[in-house]
RNA sequence: UCGGGAAUCGUCCAAUGGUAGGACAGCGGAUUUUGGUUCCGUCAAUCUAGGUUCGAUUCCUAGUUCCCGAGCCA
């Protein structure tokens, strides 16, 4: 969040920063933004981008003028909104690393004022109660090619409108009987101007105002006015609201908010990422139809899901920062996200060894019952002067496990892992040569007979001979058996549902696989929520939900880059 | 084709009349007790056609393609 304090946006500033820079340069006294989610679902990566943008802007310009970014829950539709979502939203924004200070608001805080604003519009002849049925309204709205026609109720008197609106709120009418509409222009080429509804009857209790209200304001009416009430200067939203902007301005104008002191709306394009879905509707289906366990299923692109998966907040922030802010239609390669993830994890995670698919190795020239505790650092010494952040001891015994895929009976070309007659290094331990395989009745390799070179203890041979392959391993006698969950992308198509009827047809059937792994002893101390690199495999997170004290339950956050896989493919 | 938007390497983002640059991905190499990391190198783009200009990604004209909009959702 360092960057020159916004005096001049400078090179690489996005278009919104440039606009704000110009405003600040022209003497605007403050910058106020807001993040306005509707509490009817969990926040996802698309929201993260908006959060980083809005809160990031307040941070960026704080050196130039007083700034603030509010968190406003846009709770104007009690039918869908729940307090559970309010809590998760607050938690997610905080976890991402942002602070709304005193600026926690609810659109429902303004219901009283909003109602008064509506009454004012009626008094000014700028709003009326329409008593057409929803079907009639739809039919008289016209379409892209034909203008709408005026409602027969359009010219009701102010008194009648006031009376009806009051009785709507008094609960005298059923949902759908009447609606309050702004009186604008039924022939406008912008359909949002064709007398948009601004208040509807909803006999639903609200999570904060209870049963007080029987009419609730619509988005177009409530949003801009809430911005104005809060003193928001820059109201940032996504592109689909672009042609709502004239309406946003219309309400502010109609209610006398002076140009120059009122908020303005700016739009940027929403985030799309390959192999995932980021629409609230689709995420709801995944949860409610049971395709995932919950909103925080580690395969979900929700912030809660990604947190549980093992994403550090910095990875999300870096990703959003690099994704940029424009009005282009984009589909970002998920590789950008994965890169931000690995980059962050690589810099912070401890290393340890675990074997996902164990194959037994017997070190024949080691005595039965032999145990030697070898020291292994938690962090690789990448550079000179790198901090030594501790080490653990790993038991070396006669019977070990290595990764099944690290042995090949008939070695492929460029294979420098284990095969009969080949020598490899066991990381931190020694050089090891395989002499024979033991197979079961089915002909499957179940055990390798090997010998170690005692003059290579620690992994460095006395004669300095080169060994290309280094394998991870775990003692068969000291290793702990544990189920490890391997998550993969939720969808197998870059654009789920594209060209198909339903995005669910592209669900990846193997997005979750459980393996019975063997963990080195030090892994048993990993606290829930921590991510550790299992060397040569990837980053694994001790799940906050499934772990028990002293018995972490790991899942894969993301694998390491695997250039051998490419070589092997040819 | 009614209105509103957008078009730059495979992907994302810069360049605001003066050498089209960065990141991700890819490819090649060096280093490496993780086929990881790191480092070096390399491939690769201005939607099209006209025009203005010494010079156009940028300005003008015409076209093309894509996205959004007809909830009492947000």
């Amino acid at each position: 969040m360092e960057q020159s304090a916004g005096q001049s946006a400078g090179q690489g500033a996005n278009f919104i920063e440039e606009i704000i820079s110009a405003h600040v340069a022209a003497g605007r006294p403050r910058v106020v933004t807001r993040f306005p989610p509707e509490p009817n679902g969990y926040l996802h990566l698309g929201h993260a981008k908006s959060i980083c943008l809005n809160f990031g802007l307040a941070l960026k310009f704080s050196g130039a003028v007083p700034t603030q970014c509010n968190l406003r829950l846009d709770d104007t539709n009690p039918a869908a909104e729940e307090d559970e979502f309010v809590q998760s939203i607050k938690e997610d924004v905080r976890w991402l690393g942002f602070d709304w200070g005193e600026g926690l608001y609810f659109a429902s805080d303004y219901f009283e004022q909003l109602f008064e604003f509506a009454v004012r519009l009626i008094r000014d002849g700028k709003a009326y109660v329409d008593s057409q049925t929803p079907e009639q309204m739809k039919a008289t709205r016209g379409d892209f090619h034909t203008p709408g026609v005026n409602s027969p109720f359009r010219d009701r008197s102010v008194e009648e409108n006031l009376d009806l609106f009051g009785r709507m709120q008094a609960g005298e009418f059923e949902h759908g009987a009447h609606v309050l509409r702004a009186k604008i222009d039924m022939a406008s080429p912008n359909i949002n101007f064709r007398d948009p509804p601004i208040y509807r009857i909803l006999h639903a209790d609200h999570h904060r105002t209870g049963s007080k209200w029987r009419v609730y304001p619509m988005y177009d009416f409530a949003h801009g006015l809430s911005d104005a009430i809060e003193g928001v200067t820059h109201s940032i939203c996504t592109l689909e609201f672009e042609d709502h902007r004239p309406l946003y301005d219309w309400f502010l104008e109609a209610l006398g908010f002076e140009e120059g002191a009122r908020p303005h709306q700016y739009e940027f394009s929403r985030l799309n990422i390959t192999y995932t879905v980021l629409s609230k509707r689709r995420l709801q289906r995944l949860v409610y139809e049971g395709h995932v366990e919950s909103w925080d299923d580690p395969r979900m692109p929700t912030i809660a899901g990604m947190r549980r998966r093992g994403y550090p907040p910095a990875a999300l922030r870096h990703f959003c920062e690099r994704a940029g802010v424009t009005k282009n239609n984009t589909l970002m390669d998920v590789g950008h996200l994965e890169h931000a993830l690995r980059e962050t994890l690589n810099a912070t995670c401890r290393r340890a060894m675990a074997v996902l698919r164990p194959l037994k190795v017997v070190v024949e020239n080691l005595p039965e019952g032999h145990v030697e505790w070898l020291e292994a650092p938690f962090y690789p010494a990448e550079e000179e002067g790198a901090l030594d952040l501790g080490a653990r001891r790993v038991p070396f015994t006669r019977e070990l496990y290595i990764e099944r895929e690290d042995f090949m009976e008939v070695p492929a070309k460029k294979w420098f892992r284990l095969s009969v007659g080949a020598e490899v290094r066991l990381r931190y331990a020694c050089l090891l040569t395989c002499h024979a395989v033991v197979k079961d009745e089915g002909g499957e390799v179940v055990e390798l007979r090997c010998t170690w070179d005692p003059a290579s203890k620690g992994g460095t041979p006395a004669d300095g001979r080169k060994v290309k392959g280094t394998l991870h391993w775990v003692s068969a006698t000291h290793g702990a058996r544990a189920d490890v969950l391997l998550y993969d992308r939720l969808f197998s198509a870059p654009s789920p549902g594209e060209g198909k009827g339903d995005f669910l047809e592209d669900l990846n059937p193997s997005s979750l696989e459980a393996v019975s792994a063997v963990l080195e002893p030090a892994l048993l101390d990993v606290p829930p929520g921590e991510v550790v690199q299992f060397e040569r495999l990837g980053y694994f997170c001790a799940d906050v939900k499934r772990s028990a004290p002293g018995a972490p339950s790991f899942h894969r956050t993301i694998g390491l880059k695997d250039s051998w896989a490419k070589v092997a493919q040819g």
Side-chain angles (χ1 to χ4, degrees), chain A residues 222-236:
Chain A
H223 199 89
L225 291 169
S226 299
D227 285 341
I229 290 167
E230 290 175 16
V232 167
T233 56
H234 301 265
S235 180
I236 299 164

Side-chain angles (χ1 to χ4, degrees), chain A residues 415-435:
Chain A
W415 177 261
F416 44 86
R417 275 121 96 152
L418 205 54
S419 58
V420 179
E423 182 178 54
V424 296
R425 171 169 28 242
L426 294 183
R427 190 142 162 90
Y428 308 126
C430 63
L431 263 36
L432 183 86
T433 303
C434 178
H435 298 294

Side-chain angles (χ1 to χ4, degrees), chain A residues 285 291 491-493 496-497 499-509:
Chain A
R285 279 193 68 192
H291 303 290
F491 295 92
S492 48
K500 296 207 171 74
D502 193 346
F503 75 104
L504 294 174
E505 290 177 37
D506 286 320
L507 272 171
N508 176 7

